[in-house]
Amino acid sequence: MPKLRIFGGIALLVCSATGCGLAAASPEHDNLVPGDPTRIEFVDPATVTGLAPRTLSEGEAAGRHVYIGYPELPNAAELNDRLRAEAQRQLRAFREATRAAGYLARPELNVDWQLTAAGDVAGVRLRTGEFRGADWGNTNRTFWYDQRSGRATDSAGLLSGQSALREVAALVRERLKERGQEVDREQVTPDRDRFDSMAFNGAGDLVVEFDDCQIGPCSLGRLAVAVPARQVEPLLSEMGRRAQQAARLAAQRVSVKRPTTAPPVGPVAASTDAGSVNCGRTKCVALTFDDGPGPYTAELLDILREADARATFFPVGGNAVARPELLRRMSAEGHLVGNHSWAHRDLSKLATSKIADSLDRTEEAVTAAIGQRPTLVRPPYGEVNLDVRNVAHEHGLSLVSWDVDTYDQRGSSARAIADRAVEQAHPGAIVLMHDVNRATVDAVPDILKRLRGKGYAFVTVPELYSGQMRAGRLYRSGDEPVRKQPLT
Ligand code: NI
């Protein structure tokens, strides 16, 4: 029996007399409000053997920022197909919606995920943030999967049919009365699309989430309602009842196992092999791999070990918690593990508290996995402003950019990726790649062979600077004169 442990929680905006629902939900991660009945206890993805985080992105194409993460679950083919199709649908829709030029800030699509259940019923919640020039808008969709039948369904599949959906809509409208005129209850129609994100809290209540702007002014952020278990029970499908039971059992386990102490704070991250190369005397290059760990990361680690080469990894926190054993391997094999934010949002578009939150959570995930605290951060998309720099400084993090871009996320072939890396490499180069990309991993043996043939040693980023990196400073290349390093 895999252990269940909580790695986070959400605070959805609750429509109760306690009035805890007025603040806008965080775009980066949902606030924690203990005791909130609309809080869903997520399943720790590391307890799901065989789960693989997947990533869909499109590099720097067309002036957009896109990062879509979704999980692939073992023995759940129909769910995996559905999640992949949903990721592709959202990307297409976003491309279409942002085709027009003239945005002051780059439009951004960001999707991350949580597990609402992972047993004989599995649930995956995709949380989407879209930035279209002014502010973030957030939407959620939760998909369900029945291991017994092998069928995937939208959230309405938790209910026994259309009449049950009508009754749930009526119950939700009733509970929304407390919110007065702010909420447009007429918008709570019994449509599958409107009820596309439902899950259970630990008490077995059905938590119904609405998207930003869907049933009230956008300023309210997201709204959620918990329909009491006794009212919803007669309306559930057979799978819905098992999902409800799974949430109750998970909450019982959590209440026993909830950690009471802060995660360990280890020594700062250092390569176990650092110091073996003097970059003042040897030609050094720092290969960096972002956005993982993913399905090809283990293979990349094999390749690097075979070639006795070291690299720097910048994992996304949400993926790191799903595959902590890969971070442990990175660290044990002499690579350095940095911080690439929790969900890969452009940090320069977030409030300071959200930047800090994103870096904190990832730091916690990395430290829990490898016992060392990261000292480097690579801001997603390389986007840095004064707030990002200040928060990095407070966290003791040096900002690491790059000066060789392999453009490996633009659908390049392995050959093209290798050619770019090799042709642009120079002593002190920081090379940007992504270990979530199949062609990148295929390119690495060629890169290692050709650069080694030119006399290069493969080191971690701090070794380019003899370990003398300062928190809050941005580093792009080891041969860049310090006085010329850009500050933002
Ligand atoms: Ni990235």
Side-chain angles (χ1 to χ4, degrees), residues 268 363 373-376 390-398 470-472:
V268 297
E363 179 173 311
R373 190 171 57 75
T375 55
L376 308 179
N390 286 339
V391 174
H393 184 257
E394 284 161 15
H395 282 68
L397 293 166
S398 305
R470 281 165 46 191

Side-chain angles (χ1 to χ4, degrees), residues 366-431:
V366 172
T367 308
I370 69 171
Q372 296 182 335
R373 190 171 57 75
T375 55
L376 308 179
V377 59
R378 172 161 281 159
Y381 311 105
E383 297 280 6
V384 177
N385 65 6
L386 195 58
D387 286 344
V388 173
R389 212 157 62 84
N390 286 339
V391 174
H393 184 257
E394 284 161 15
H395 282 68
L397 293 166
S398 305
L399 299 143
V400 178
S401 180
W402 59 86
D403 69 340
V404 173
D405 192 341
T406 58
Y407 298 116
D408 59 333
Q409 292 203 299
R410 291 190 184 178
S412 300
S413 66
R415 178 76 203 187
I417 294 166
D419 285 350
R420 282 194 205 102
V422 173
E423 284 160 15
Q424 295 178 57
H426 58 85
I430 299 177
V431 182

Side-chain angles (χ1 to χ4, degrees), residues 458-481:
F458 303 99
V459 300
T460 63
V461 170
E463 291 176 84
L464 293 180
Y465 304 95
S466 310
Q468 303 294 309
M469 296 179 78
R470 281 165 46 191
R473 184 177 279 279
L474 177 67
Y475 295 86
R476 293 181 63 239
S477 163
D479 67 350
E480 191 174 39

Side-chain angles (χ1 to χ4, degrees), residues 290-291 340 344 380-381 434:
D290 290 10
D291 295 5
H340 196 38
H344 209 279
Y381 311 105
H434 299 82

